[in-house]
């Protein structure tokens, strides 16, 4: 491998490359666009596009694409080559400013939730200059936002950029109150830890359920799962290690700050974490990371599974969204400062996050809701569906003392006043780590742990940014009016911490007691996607998003529809896949097995010898019984799949798929799994969990 420092960002048109390749005025104009959102004039756009094209061609690129993130959750691209015909049958390579700035993909086949009727199929993509252009697979990729012709967002990037702006405004407003006029911009930062499974492609190709749905729909528990806890942080197998090395290299070339890699809890499960970056870039990079994981795995004869729950009985995969707020002057606003006045500011931001999480717990739950993630949340392996916060013992003691008006620890024997200089310095809490909390303070950032492994991190961050912006805004409004800032600050923090203390929970989030306790505290326990989604279209939700210009009401309604539709379609595909696997192959295997047993019984009888046949009889009876039961449950599933066709309302459809079809599949699975344990392996038509989970040697 060439030197990391040399390959890093080698396929990115980053700041350094821009400085090198652009005329000074073009470079300056572009920086202005990035930093202050100023529009770029056409002439300069042409100059920039030309420089990008020259750079890309030198690196072997032949095409360009507007790379965007439609509501499917995966990225989309349509490649155009740079060629333009010339006289004499020749071509030249061209790329204009217009092509850089705006694209018009036929948008009719992307989900829009009714926002863009198919007869006006036009949508457009617009260059997002805050995320660098890069080269992937000989194509110059231009990160873009995707909108309808009337300007409604049809993607996951646009609302994210809007939410970052909302938080920027509110946070700068609050910082002014603390005298920080030097701060011009506040950004949110994210470091998403990504979990995934790696299995041998030979196994993958033999499981239609993995191919069509990303997860196994049945499979008996193997003798060894994760009981011994010997995989977590274990030695990485050579084949996996070779994959990880190549993945790092590919990501580094794309400027992705891939940093940490290790084995996870379940067999065949691994994790990759990057160094954090601006939320917008972190989101783009997480999409690229997931894509590269699949591509690189393929080169090594393996398949990367990003589904939240590929296998029952062992842990599923999630994504930890480490989130913080920073100023353009380089200050992390969630860093408890060393001096009391810094602490007052920190406490105000902390209070805003606590209040936001409590006030909008349903929205945070909505932001991580999907058919795949339903398998994890609340399944004692991932954070519960109940949203709560862990802030660590030290911070909790401080919060308590503020609420009680008592001294904190051994501080001076005065009543604690936040504005005045008596707050103790708060050390970074690294000792206690609560792994069961959905939303944990980890020293200088929050870790939102409920995200599913396959989802874009955009949704949760849109919501996080917006709800924190809302609380900061309200705080600013109150404090701006105050006669004495210190007194008003004291009062506000005490009042809000008292009001929202219920969201703080430092105990075991997996326990039954917590479910009861949370109920007592009035916290929501929205168990499934179908339970959670309606909160998205509540008045409270519409109010907060429209107030901050993150979503219009139309955009919210359309996204609600898309999510419901996605939910029931996923379950429907699972049901159809399961139905066909059972009907075509598993039934046949069950019959073959019974036939073998019956033949053995006949053959034994034909010998005329008085040999014992009770074992064959017992097995045959059991197999016959299981097969009859399987058929009964299969028929029920098929009947319900038909029944769903009578429904038309999207919510009804989603609810029916959750309550009935999903339940049918679980019932059917029970018998199939039992049958798998009795049918001989040479007759069973599909690889077992043991074979799949231990397929990579
Ligand atoms: P863990 O123990 O959970 O692995 P780490 O300290 O390794 O915690 O960090 C996990 C992730 O948090 C990394 O991606 C890291 O870059 C990110 N992170 C660290 N500081 C910040 C920050 N200020 N904002 C956002 N993410 C951060
Ligand atoms: Mg973590």
């Amino acid at each position: 491998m060439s030197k990391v420092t040399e390959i890093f960002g080698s396929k990115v048109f980053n700041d350094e490359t821009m400085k090198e390749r652009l005329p000074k005025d073009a470079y300056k104009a572009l920086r202005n666009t990035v930093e202050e959102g100023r529009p770029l004039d056409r002439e300069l756009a042409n100059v920039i596009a030309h420089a990008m094209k020259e750079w890309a061609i030198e690196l072997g690129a032949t095409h360009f694409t507007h790379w965007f993130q439609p509501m499917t959750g995966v990225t989309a691209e349509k490649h155009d080559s740079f060629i333009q015909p010339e006289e004499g049958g020749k071509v030249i390579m061209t790329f204009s400013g217009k092509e850089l700035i705006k694209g018009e993909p036929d948008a009719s086949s992307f989900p829009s939730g009714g926002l863009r009727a198919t007869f006006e199929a036009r949508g457009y993509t617009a260059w997002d200059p805050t995320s660098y252009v890069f080269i992937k697979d000989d194509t110059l990729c231009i990160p873009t936002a995707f909108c309808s012709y009337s300007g409604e967002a049809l993607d996951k990037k646009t609302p994210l950029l809007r939410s970052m702006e909302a938080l920027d405004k509110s946070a700068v407003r609050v910082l002014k109150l603390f005298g920080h006029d030097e701060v011009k911009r506040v950004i949110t930062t994210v470091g998403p830890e990504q979990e995934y499974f790696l299995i041998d492609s030979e196994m993958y190709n033999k499981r239609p359920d993995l191919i069509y749905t990303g997860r196994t729909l049945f499979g008996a528990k193997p003798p060894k799962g994760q009981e011994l806890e010997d995989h977590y942080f274990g030695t990485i197998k050579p084949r996996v290690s070779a994959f990880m090395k190549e993945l790092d290299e590919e990501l580094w070339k794309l400027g992705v700050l891939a940093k940490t890699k290790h084995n996870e809890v379940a067999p065949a499960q691994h994790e990759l974490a990057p160094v954090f970056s601006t939320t917008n870039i972190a989101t783009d990079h997480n999409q690229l990371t997931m894509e590269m994981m699949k591509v690189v795995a393929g080169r090594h004869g393996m398949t990367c599974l990003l589904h939240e729950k590929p296998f029952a009985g062992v842990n599923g995969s999630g994504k930890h969204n480490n989130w913080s707020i920073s100023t353009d002057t380089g200050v992390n606003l969630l860093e408890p400062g060393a001096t009391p006045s810094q602490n007052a500011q920190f406490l105000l931001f902390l209070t805003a996050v606590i209040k936001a999480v409590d006030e909008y717990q349903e929205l945070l739950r909505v932001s991580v809701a999907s058919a795949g993630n339903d398998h994890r949340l609340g399944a004692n392996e991932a954070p519960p569906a109940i949203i709560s916060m862990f802030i660590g013992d030290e911070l909790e003691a401080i919060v308590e003392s503020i609420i009680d008006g008592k001294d904190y620890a051994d501080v001076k024997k005065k009543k604690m006043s936040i504005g005045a200089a008596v707050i103790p310095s708060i050390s970074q809490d690294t000792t206690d780590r609560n792994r069961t909390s959905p939303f944990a303070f980890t020293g200088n950032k929050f870790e939102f742990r409920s995200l599913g492994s396959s989802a874009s991190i955009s949704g949760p961050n849109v919501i996080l940014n917006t709800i924190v912006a809302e609380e900061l805004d309200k705080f600013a409004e109150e404090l701006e009016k105050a006669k004495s800032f210190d007194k008003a600050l004291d009062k506000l923090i005490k009042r809000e911490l008292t009001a929202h203390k219920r969201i703080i929970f430092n105990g075991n989030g997996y326990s039954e007691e917590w479910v009861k306790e949370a109920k007592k505290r009035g916290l929501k326990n929205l168990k499934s996607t179908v339970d959670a989604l309606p909160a998205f279209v509540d008045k409270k939700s519409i109010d907060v998003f429209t107030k901050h210009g993150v979503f219009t009401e139309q955009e919210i309604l359309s996204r609600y529809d898309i999510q419901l539709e996605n939910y029931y379609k996923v379950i429907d595909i699972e049901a159809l896949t399961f139905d066909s696997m059972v009907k075509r192959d598993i039934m046949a295997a069950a019959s073959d097995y019974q036939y073998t047993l019956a033949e053995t019984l006949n053959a034994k009888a034909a010998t005329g010898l008085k040999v014992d046949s009770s074992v064959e009889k017992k097995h045959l009876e059991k197999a016959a019984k299981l097969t009859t039961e399987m058929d009964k449950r299969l028929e029920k599933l098929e009947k319900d799949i038909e029944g769903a066709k009578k429904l038309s309302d999207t919510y009804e459809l989603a609810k029916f798929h959750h309550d009935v079809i999903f339940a049918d599949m679980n019932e059917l699975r029970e018998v199939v799994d039992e049958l798998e344990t009795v049918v001989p392996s040479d007759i069973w038509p599909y690889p077992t969990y043991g074979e799949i989970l231990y397929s990579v040697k």
Side-chain angles (χ1 to χ4, degrees):
M1 184 169 61
S2 24
K3 266 170 83 181
V4 178
T5 46
E6 275 163 28
I7 63 166
F8 189 85
S10 59
K11 293 193 168 184
V12 185
F13 199 70
N14 54 22
D15 200 59
E16 203 190 338
T17 314
M18 283 180 209
K19 232 186 239 159
E20 206 181 283
R21 300 217 164 217
L22 292 175
K24 268 209 176 86
D25 56 334
Y27 173 76
K28 242 175 137 179
L30 186 54
R31 292 301 324 163
N32 280 341
T33 304
V34 173
E35 276 154 26
E36 289 153 41
R38 290 210 206 133
L40 204 62
D41 83 59
R42 181 53 59 85
E43 260 319 295
L44 284 173
N46 278 331
V47 172
I48 294 166
H50 177 76
M52 279 178 180
K53 181 204 69 185
E54 293 296 305
W55 168 80
I57 288 174
E58 278 169 34
L59 291 171
T62 51
H63 289 68
F64 71 93
T65 183
H66 276 200
W67 187 74
F68 59 105
Q69 301 170 28
M71 294 301 297
T72 52
V74 290
T75 52
E77 45 197 73
K78 182 189 88 176
H79 299 188
D80 281 300
S81 68
F82 292 124
I83 63 163
Q84 188 180 298
E86 279 282 281
E87 264 177 50
K90 296 215 170 213
V91 291
I92 50 162
M93 304 290 259
T94 65
F95 182 50
S96 68
K98 184 165 170 273
E99 286 170 309
L100 166 66
I101 288 174
K102 193 167 163 185
E104 293 187 29
D106 176 355
S108 58
S109 296
F110 292 106
S112 77
L115 266 187
R116 181 191 15 70
T118 15
F119 57 82
E120 50 155 334
R122 291 193 307 174
Y124 69 91
T125 48
W127 178 33
D128 163 21
T130 63
S131 183
Y132 296 133
V133 163
F134 57 91
I135 294 172
K136 179 170 68 77
D137 201 16
D138 293 340
T139 300
L140 178 70
C141 299
I142 302 146
T144 53
F146 179 42
C147 299
S148 77
Y149 243 78
S150 39
E152 286 111 347
L154 295 172
D155 68 345
K156 294 188 177 253
K157 186 187 266 283
T158 310
L160 184 65
L161 294 173
R162 292 175 184 162
S163 76
M164 289 171 70
E165 242 168 69
L167 191 106
D168 171 28
K169 262 195 226 145
S170 309
V172 167
R173 192 173 163 194
V174 165
L175 288 172
K176 282 225 159 38
L177 290 163
F178 285 92
H180 290 301
D181 291 327
E182 78 284 6
V183 174
K184 297 281 172 277
R185 243 182 106 202
V186 168
I187 52 154
T188 56
T189 50
V190 167
E193 300 164 56
Q194 175 75 45
E195 292 181 338
Y196 61 97
F197 279 84
L198 272 185
I199 62 170
D200 194 296
S201 297
E202 213 180 298
M203 295 296 141
Y204 174 83
N205 288 329
K206 288 182 184 155
R207 293 282 307 218
D209 47 358
L210 283 176
I211 294 173
Y212 296 130
T213 75
R215 74 178 181 103
T216 54
L217 299 168
F218 60 88
K221 213 187 145 320
K224 181 176 187 277
Q226 62 192 46
E227 301 81 2
L228 300 179
E229 297 175 330
D230 53 352
H231 194 253
Y232 191 56
F233 282 22
T235 318
I236 299 168
K237 289 178 185 140
R239 221 172 135 194
V240 174
S241 177
F243 156 86
M244 286 176 167
K245 278 198 188 118
E246 194 174 326
L247 177 63
D248 275 344
E249 217 176 301
E250 291 291 352
L251 291 174
W252 290 336
K253 282 185 203 162
L254 291 168
V256 178
L257 293 157
K259 172 91 175 161
T260 312
K261 50 189 181 185
H262 60 79
N263 286 351
E264 260 300 328
V265 173
Q269 193 185 29
H270 314 278
E271 181 183 295
L272 182 146
V275 176
F276 69 95
S277 48
T278 311
T279 308
N280 177 31
I281 307 239
T283 306
D284 285 358
H285 282 182
N286 183 246
Q287 293 296 134
L288 277 177
T289 301
M290 292 194 286
E291 189 183 326
M292 288 323 290
M293 280 177 167
K294 291 191 170 167
V295 171
V296 175
R299 291 185 202 150
H300 292 256
M302 298 187 286
T303 302
C304 171
L305 305 177
L306 290 169
H307 193 281
E308 283 75 16
K309 193 74 182 174
F311 307 98
V314 295
N315 277 5
S317 300
K319 190 135 58 183
H320 289 176
N321 192 78
N322 295 276
W323 175 91
S324 194
I325 321 173
S326 287
T327 64
D328 57 351
T329 52
V331 177
N332 177 352
L333 295 168
L334 293 179
E335 180 96 51
T339 68
S341 61
Q342 277 174 352
N343 276 344
Q345 185 184 300
F346 163 73
L347 279 174
L348 187 69
F349 277 92
L350 176 74
T351 305
V353 180
I354 291 174
K355 184 173 182 207
V357 174
D358 187 30
E359 289 266 5
Y360 296 99
Q361 36 176 298
E362 295 95 332
L363 280 185
L364 286 171
R365 174 66 186 87
V366 166
S367 79
V368 294
S370 71
N373 215 16
D374 275 5
H375 295 278
R376 293 175 64 241
L377 301 182
N380 285 3
E381 59 164 56
I386 306 163
I387 300 287
S388 69
M389 278 172 99
F390 169 80
I391 57 171
D393 291 341
E394 189 173 7
L395 269 187
E396 195 177 13
I398 291 172
V399 166
E400 290 287 344
S401 63
I402 292 173
I403 291 172
D404 299 342
K406 285 199 199 108
D407 291 348
Y408 166 68
D410 53 1
V411 208
K412 306 172 183 76
K413 289 197 174 41
K414 267 192 247 161
K415 269 244 164 120
M416 190 144 113
S417 153
I418 295 151
V422 283
I423 297 235
S425 72
I426 304 164
S427 60
Q428 258 199 38
D429 196 342
T430 46
T431 47
D432 53 348
R433 295 221 130 197
N434 181 323
R435 292 279 169 201
T436 65
S437 177
F439 205 95
F441 185 69
T442 48
N444 60 359
K445 61 188 188 291
F446 279 98
E447 186 169 349
F448 186 20
R449 301 193 178 120
S450 310
L451 284 74
S453 48
S454 70
S456 160
I457 61 168
S458 165
N461 287 296
V462 166
I463 287 176
L464 207 47
N465 293 343
T466 309
I467 63 181
V468 173
E470 166 66 5
E471 303 310 346
L472 288 173
D473 233 21
K474 280 199 201 133
F475 289 180
E477 204 161 306
E478 180 174 335
L479 295 172
E480 279 162 2
K481 283 189 212 130
K483 286 205 194 72
S484 153
F485 176 69
D486 278 6
K487 271 197 193 130
L489 184 66
D490 254 21
K491 207 175 104 193
L492 184 152
I493 291 183
K494 182 170 176 174
R495 183 190 73 223
E496 297 299 350
L497 288 178
T498 310
H500 300 287
K501 186 184 158 210
R502 63 168 186 170
I503 198 75
I504 298 170
F505 175 64
N506 286 358
N508 178 7
Y510 295 173
S511 70
E512 241 341 277
E513 294 85 72
W514 170 232
V515 177
K516 285 188 205 133
E517 165 69 16
K519 197 168 173 199
K520 248 195 257 159
R521 295 190 189 184
L523 301 180
K524 287 273 165 36
N525 185 2
L526 303 168
K527 290 200 178 106
S528 72
T529 299
V530 182
D531 297 324
L533 283 180
F536 190 41
V537 290
D538 267 359
K539 184 173 179 305
K540 190 171 156 190
S541 159
I542 293 174
D543 284 350
V544 74
F545 286 124
T546 50
K547 174 177 165 191
H548 294 278
V550 173
F551 287 126
T552 62
E553 184 167 350
Q554 265 309 304
E555 286 169 344
I556 295 173
L557 295 175
S558 83
R559 267 151 219 262
Y560 172 65
D561 237 42
I562 290 170
Q563 286 210 55
L564 283 173
E565 218 176 88
N566 178 272
Y567 177 84
Y568 78 74
K569 283 183 179 167
V570 165
I571 306 269
D572 191 46
I573 293 168
E574 289 181 350
L576 293 173
T577 306
F578 200 7
D579 176 61
S580 126
M581 290 175 86
V582 174
K583 202 159 56 183
R584 296 179 57 198
D585 294 327
I586 297 175
M587 276 296 176
S591 294
D592 282 356
Y593 175 43
Q594 292 171 71
Y595 182 77
T596 321
L597 288 166
E599 270 210 319
T600 312
L601 279 170
N602 283 340
K604 272 183 160 181
T607 61
L609 295 170
K610 278 211 161 82
V611 287
D612 181 28
S613 294
S614 61
V615 175
E616 286 83 1
K617 244 190 225 153
K618 187 175 81 184
H619 286 319
L620 182 57
E621 274 164 9
K622 180 165 184 186
K625 218 170 121 197
L626 283 173
T627 310
T628 310
E629 188 57 33
M630 182 164 73
D631 185 57
K632 206 172 98 194
R633 296 185 187 191
L634 182 68
E635 273 187 8
K636 164 124 178 39
L637 176 67
E638 289 185 339
K639 192 188 104 228
D640 291 332
I641 292 174
E642 272 310 298
K645 291 184 181 152
K646 294 191 196 91
L647 302 172
S648 56
D649 176 73
T650 36
Y651 185 79
E652 290 302 315
L653 270 160
K655 187 152 174 58
F656 185 80
H657 278 78
H658 174 267
D659 295 352
V660 180
I661 296 190
F662 184 66
D664 286 348
M665 285 199 287
N666 286 338
E667 296 265 297
L668 178 57
R669 166 176 197 148
E670 257 177 37
V671 210
V672 175
D673 286 357
E674 199 178 339
L675 200 65
E676 187 188 305
T677 63
V678 299
V679 174
S681 45
D682 62 332
I683 298 180
W684 192 252
Y686 299 114
T688 61
Y689 269 21
E691 287 165 331
I692 304 170
L693 285 168
Y694 298 96
S695 59
V696 175
K697 303 286 183 306

